[in-house]
């Protein structure tokens, strides 16, 4: 559903007011120490407020918690967010910010730092992330962070402009500032180089721990923990950073602080209990995840021996019926007259294999190419395939939108190959192809942009599931693929469809055999997903856990565009409302060539709908050619999310 902004609400205001103003409809109820809802284990001040922890230590809470150390009329900050604390500092008679210590490189931690740096503040950052502060253009101009994305560290929540760095800390440095003794502590997990700062002042030990923890037993998000796991890379590493995060949290616990101050969340007055609760919840959730993970098919030892009673038995292989051939990531469906419907083409080798089989007389003609999903190992060679065989390309509409215009999207494993889809299919669309009755389905399993195809003939109901299932369970090992939880969503929707259709055979492009699931296996997977939703609800502070799973619930479309200097450019902010009620969103572009505040746009987005807000801006006529990153400030209900999304403009 397309949600248009309300033009009468378009107004101009400074960014601080934009980000701290109270929204009329909040996701969370904010009461009295951090950003989020009360849970009884911390304290929440009103947004935009300052809490005095001791004589020389304050915390300013707005979009993030900013630590403020005082020494007369000067201050040291720990993180700075959008710079929203500046007015509060002036109100308290603080004449200067002497130094800012950053816990990690994300934009929401540091996007306002330039204001303080221009005033003389010295900038200190984690040594492992120094380049992401000083040279963000190296990230934005590197093709490996744009195409064929299999790594998510560093995260794309990267600064849009460089920031001068004066000091880089590796961990275990110790120094005095004013009345305080400060020590750095390496606490990777949320990011690879994350640091925490142990502050001893006024006889009390406080640790500013970044996003290592949100509050008692909770995390800001899950998708940031997508990380390399053993021999598997980031892409196959759902919760891969969890062991490293646990070591970091135990390191914090060993410091025996009186309180923990996270970047997002509540100040924790009982840190040991908060950490123990998080460790327990993460351990149980990870065990729940592994019980039906498809990775157990590809590597039976990836999670250790299958001794847990919770883990679903792996399906036994079934013989591949006559009329089907497999190679690479391609299945071929053959009719009795040897006509072929080919499924996916990731490499030129697939084209060569089809030609060999045609030369041997196994294939008479290629009559169509079905694309299961947009990932590069399934579409890289599709343009060459279509040119070689002159057949139509068929794909689910959601897949067709991505592969027809890849620059408009930023997603894992995305290919720059543009594909002309001759037949975008609707959910449940059927047609006859030789002796087969074919039915296409929207099948948002491994990725939201995914289709499934049912081929029925001679009593066989063969379902091509793409990369969504293996004999071991569901392929949800990459959070960035957009796998929401909830009834009718993602894998729950796919399971309901398969239970309804009762296919005799299932086929995955990476699996050479056929398989199927029993009624008991379907029941196990359904119950597991329902349990996950509940456990994630306890782990994450959002009113629906899919916000903390879905890295792209706010995205810009087109993600990348070319425009001449002096022209008007525009993109849409696309927002998925995972909540059970409608939500108001307010957003505005942050233009890298203009420090004046841009106009805001707002809309109400119905529950479980996707809303779109158009942001337009003019590119200066004399702007130098180059690649510019336009960030977007977001207000979503009661959440204040500075520079939460971005688009790229090639001028």
């Amino acid at each position: 559903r397309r949600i248009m902004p309300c033009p009468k609400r378009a107004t101009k205001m400074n960014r601080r007011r934009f980000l701290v103003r109270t929204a009329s409809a909040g996701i969370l109820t904010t009461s009295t120490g951090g950003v989020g809802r009360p849970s009884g284990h911390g304290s929440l001040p009103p947004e935009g407020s300052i809490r005095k922890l001791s004589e020389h230590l304050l915390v300013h809470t707005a979009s993030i918690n900013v630590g403020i150390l005082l020494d007369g009329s000067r201050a040291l900050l720990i993180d700075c967010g959008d710079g929203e604390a500046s007015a509060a500092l002036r109100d308290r008679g603080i004449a200067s910010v002497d130094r800012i210590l950053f816990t990690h490189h994300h934009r929401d931690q540091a996007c306002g730092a330039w204001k303080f740096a221009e005033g003389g503040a010295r900038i200190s950052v984690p040594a492992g992330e120094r380049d992401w502060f000083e040279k963000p253009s190296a990230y934005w101009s590197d093709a490996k962070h744009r195409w064929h994305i299999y790594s998510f560290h560093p995260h794309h929540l990267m600064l849009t402009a460089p920031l001068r760095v004066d000091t880089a800390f590796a961990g275990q440095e110790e120094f005095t500032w004013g009345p305080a003794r400060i020590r750095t502590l390496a606490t990777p997990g949320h990011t690879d180089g994350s640091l925490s700062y142990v502050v001893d002042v006024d006889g009390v030990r406080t640790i500013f721990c970044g996003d290592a923890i949100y509050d008692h037993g909770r995390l800001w998000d899950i998708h940031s923990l997508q990380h390399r796991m053993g021999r598997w890379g980031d892409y196959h590493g759902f919760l891969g950073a969890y062991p490293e995060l646990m070591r970091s949290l135990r390191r914090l616990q060993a410091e025996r602080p009186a309180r923990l101050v996270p970047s997002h969340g509540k100040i924790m007055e009982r840190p040991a209990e908060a950490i123990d609760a998080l460790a327990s919840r993460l351990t149980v959730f990870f065990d729940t995840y592994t019980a039906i993970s498809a990775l157990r098919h590809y590597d039976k030892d990836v999670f250790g021996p299958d001794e847990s009673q919770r883990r679903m038995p792996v399906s036994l292989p079934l013989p591949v019926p006559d009329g089907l051939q497999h190679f690479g990531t391609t299945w071929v469906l053959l009719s009795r007259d040897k006509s072929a419907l080919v499924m996916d083409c990731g490499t030129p080798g697939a084209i060569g294999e089809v030609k060999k089989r045609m030369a041997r007389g196994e294939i008479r003609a290629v009559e169509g190419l079905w694309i299961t999903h947009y990932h590069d190992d399934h579409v890289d060679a599709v343009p060459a395939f279509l040119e070689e065989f002159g057949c139509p390309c068929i794909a689910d509409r959601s897949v067709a939108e991505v592969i027809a215009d890849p620059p408009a999207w930023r997603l894992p494993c995305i290919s720059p190959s543009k594909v002309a889809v001759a037949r975008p299919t609707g959910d449940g669309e059927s047609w006859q192809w030789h002796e087969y009755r074919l039915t296409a389905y929207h099948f948002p399993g491994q990725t939201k942009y995914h289709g499934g195809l049912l081929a029925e003939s001679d009593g066989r109901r063969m379902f091509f599931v793409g990369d969504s299932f293996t004999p071991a369970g569901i392929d949800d090992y990459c959070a960035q693929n957009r796998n929401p939880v909830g009834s009718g969503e993602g894998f729950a929707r796919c399971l309901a469809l398969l239970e309804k259709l009762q296919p005799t055979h299932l086929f995955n492009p990476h699996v050479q055999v056929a398989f199927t699931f029993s009624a008991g296996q379907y029941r196990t997977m359904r119950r597991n997903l329902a349990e996950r939703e509940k456990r994630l609800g306890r782990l994450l502070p959002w009113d629906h856990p899919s916000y903390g799973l879905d890295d792209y619930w706010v995205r810009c479309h087109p993600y990348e565009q070319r425009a001449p200097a002096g022209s008007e450019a525009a993109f849409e902010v696309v927002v998925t409302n995972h909540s059970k009620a409608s939500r108001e969103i307010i957003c505005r572009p942050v233009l890298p060539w203009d420090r004046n505040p841009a106009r805001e746009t707002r809309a109400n987005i119905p529950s479980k709908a996707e809303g779109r807000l158009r942001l337009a801006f003019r590119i200066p006529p004399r702007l130098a050619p180059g690649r510019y990153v336009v960030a977007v400030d977001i207000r979503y209900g009661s959440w204040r999310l500075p520079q939460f999304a971005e688009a790229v403009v090639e001028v």
Side-chain angles (χ1 to χ4, degrees):
R1 182 173 177 182
R2 183 180 177 85
I3 311 299
M4 296 303 295
C6 179
K8 69 180 181 180
R9 295 293 189 93
T11 59
K12 204 165 186 176
M13 65 172 63
N14 65 57
R15 292 186 73 231
R16 195 183 79 83
R17 283 185 59 209
F18 171 81
L19 289 165
V20 303
R21 188 177 56 184
T22 303
S24 59
I27 293 185
L28 305 184
T29 302
T30 304
S31 68
T32 67
V35 183
R37 65 186 172 190
S39 69
H41 295 283
S43 54
L44 273 168
E47 60 179 43
S49 67
I50 279 191
R51 176 178 170 183
K52 185 174 182 179
L53 301 184
S54 64
E55 182 182 357
H56 296 96
L57 185 60
L58 315 173
V59 173
H60 180 269
T61 296
S63 63
I64 67 167
N65 294 314
V66 176
I68 305 172
L69 263 171
L70 301 177
D71 181 30
S73 63
R74 66 176 188 148
L76 175 148
L77 305 185
I78 301 177
D79 292 322
C80 73
D82 185 57
E84 55 233 339
S86 57
L89 292 172
R90 287 194 302 270
D91 291 345
R92 287 185 169 255
I94 304 302
S96 66
V97 172
D98 175 66
R99 192 168 185 178
I100 308 178
L101 313 180
F102 284 104
T103 58
H104 58 291
H105 78 270
H106 287 168
R107 277 197 305 268
D108 55 348
Q109 306 294 121
C111 58
W114 62 270
K115 304 171 187 176
F116 299 107
E118 287 186 351
R122 294 173 295 151
I123 306 298
S124 300
V125 306
E129 300 185 351
R130 180 170 190 156
D131 282 353
W132 308 132
F133 286 89
E134 288 189 310
K135 305 171 186 175
S137 62
Y139 175 89
W140 296 114
S141 61
D142 191 337
K144 75 180 181 184
H145 297 304
R146 179 65 186 94
W147 302 111
H148 309 288
I149 304 171
Y150 285 82
S151 176
F152 308 102
H153 289 249
H155 190 267
H156 64 93
L157 203 60
M158 179 77 57
L159 287 171
T160 63
L163 181 66
R164 183 202 76 245
V165 171
D166 300 289
T167 311
F169 295 130
Q172 292 302 323
E173 292 90 350
E174 191 167 343
F175 58 96
T176 300
W177 187 91
R181 193 74 181 163
I182 302 172
R183 183 157 42 86
T184 64
L185 202 62
T187 48
H190 182 68
T191 71
D192 289 350
S194 287
L195 287 179
S196 293
Y197 294 95
V198 183
V199 178
D200 289 299
V201 66
D202 301 328
V204 178
R205 172 165 292 179
T206 301
I207 300 182
F208 292 82
C209 59
D211 281 321
I213 185 171
Y214 180 91
D215 67 4
H216 185 96
R218 296 197 294 181
L219 285 171
W220 173 237
D221 66 54
I222 291 292
H223 58 73
S224 66
L225 300 183
Q226 187 75 29
H227 203 10
R228 177 176 295 276
M229 186 168 52
R231 72 181 181 89
W232 302 96
D234 282 1
Y235 178 73
H236 293 91
F238 183 80
L239 282 179
Y242 145 63
E244 186 173 52
L245 177 66
M246 285 300 96
R247 288 191 291 271
S248 294
L249 289 170
R250 294 307 184 193
R251 205 170 295 131
L252 292 171
Q253 203 172 34
E255 294 291 331
R256 303 177 67 85
R259 63 175 75 92
L260 284 178
V261 182
S263 292
H264 295 94
K266 303 175 195 169
I267 297 171
M268 287 155 272
E269 307 288 352
R270 299 196 294 274
E273 293 178 23
I275 290 171
D276 284 343
L278 178 56
S280 175
R281 289 176 182 178
L282 270 175
T283 299
V284 174
F285 176 69
F286 188 71
D287 185 48
T288 303
Y289 159 72
T290 64
I292 60 170
S293 172
L295 283 181
R296 296 182 302 130
H297 167 80
Y298 298 117
D299 182 350
K300 61 184 177 66
D301 296 323
V302 65
F303 303 125
D306 255 1
E307 297 173 350
S308 171
Q309 296 298 312
R310 295 170 56 85
R311 293 189 184 173
M312 185 180 78
V314 178
S315 295
L316 296 175
L318 298 175
V320 176
D322 293 339
L324 278 172
Q325 298 180 359
H326 180 267
F327 46 85
T329 59
T330 298
W331 280 100
V332 179
L333 181 64
L334 288 170
S335 67
R336 294 190 187 101
D337 71 352
K338 299 184 180 179
S339 298
L341 175 64
V342 180
M343 304 186 200
D344 294 338
C345 183
T347 67
I351 299 171
E353 193 63 42
V354 172
K355 292 171 71 175
K356 287 179 187 177
R357 295 176 191 229
M358 293 181 78
R360 294 198 299 259
E362 298 174 17
I363 297 176
R364 180 185 61 81
V366 177
E367 295 188 348
L369 176 66
W370 166 261
I371 306 298
T372 59
H373 60 296
Y374 76 88
H375 285 168
D376 51 10
D377 56 334
H378 298 261
V379 304
D380 266 352
V382 167
F385 185 99
L386 298 178
E387 183 177 355
E388 177 70 35
F389 299 110
C391 64
C393 182
I394 312 165
D396 178 76
R397 284 175 185 155
S398 69
V399 179
E401 288 180 8
V402 178
I403 63 179
D405 188 15
W409 300 78
R410 179 192 177 85
L411 291 165
C413 318
I414 191 165
S415 169
S417 296
K418 290 188 176 183
V419 177
V421 178
R423 182 172 182 176
T425 57
D427 185 38
E429 181 178 328
S430 292
W431 67 98
Q432 193 71 30
W433 181 73
H434 296 279
E435 68 268 28
Y436 294 97
R437 186 66 180 171
L438 302 178
T439 307
Y441 293 95
H442 179 51
F443 202 65
Q446 187 195 40
T447 170
K448 180 176 180 177
Y449 312 100
H450 199 295
L453 186 66
L454 177 67
E456 299 175 276
S457 177
D458 299 328
R460 295 176 301 181
R461 295 183 303 282
M462 301 180 293
F463 198 97
F464 296 86
V465 299
D467 283 3
S468 292
F469 294 88
T470 72
I474 67 176
D475 288 57
D476 66 337
Y477 37 70
C478 180
Q480 281 73 8
N481 272 328
R482 308 196 68 187
N483 304 133
V485 293
S487 177
E489 302 275 355
F491 277 104
R493 173 188 172 126
C494 295
L495 285 171
L497 177 63
L498 292 179
E499 287 190 278
K500 176 183 175 182
L501 297 176
Q502 289 295 303
T504 56
H505 301 76
L506 300 175
F507 301 92
N508 176 311
H510 294 274
V511 180
Q512 297 181 1
V513 297
F515 61 98
T516 191
F517 295 123
S518 67
Q521 286 172 306
Y522 281 124
R523 185 167 55 251
T524 296
M525 288 186 281
R526 277 193 288 104
R527 289 176 175 173
N528 182 285
L529 291 175
E531 182 182 353
R532 276 187 210 193
E533 184 178 7
K534 292 178 182 177
R535 294 195 180 282
L536 281 169
R538 300 185 189 107
L539 265 171
L540 296 165
W542 306 82
D543 76 327
H544 193 285
S546 289
Y547 290 109
L549 278 177
D550 185 0
D551 201 4
Y552 300 106
W553 70 269
V554 178
R555 63 181 180 87
C556 296
H557 192 92
Y559 183 77
E560 184 173 343
Q561 61 184 294
R562 295 174 64 87
S567 68
E568 183 177 85
F571 56 81
E572 291 181 315
V573 179
V574 186
V575 184
T576 302
N577 179 5
H578 292 294
S579 302
K580 294 180 180 179
S582 64
R583 294 288 175 230
E584 181 183 55
I585 184 166
I586 310 170
C587 57
R588 59 193 285 166
V590 182
L591 304 175
W593 52 79
D594 188 356
R595 289 183 176 178
N596 292 317
R599 297 206 319 169
E600 68 175 44
T601 303
R602 67 172 62 196
N604 280 298
I605 305 173
S607 170
K608 306 299 181 183
E610 192 173 80
R612 293 173 177 261
L613 296 85
R614 185 175 185 271
L615 300 183
F617 48 90
R618 183 160 295 279
I619 300 170
R622 296 185 180 180
L623 189 66
R627 193 172 177 82
Y628 294 87
V629 182
V630 179
V632 182
D633 285 337
I634 299 292
R635 283 296 307 264
Y636 188 70
S638 63
W639 290 105
R640 301 166 299 286
L641 305 168
Q643 301 199 14
F644 194 65
E646 80 282 337
V648 176
V649 181
E650 189 80 36
V651 176

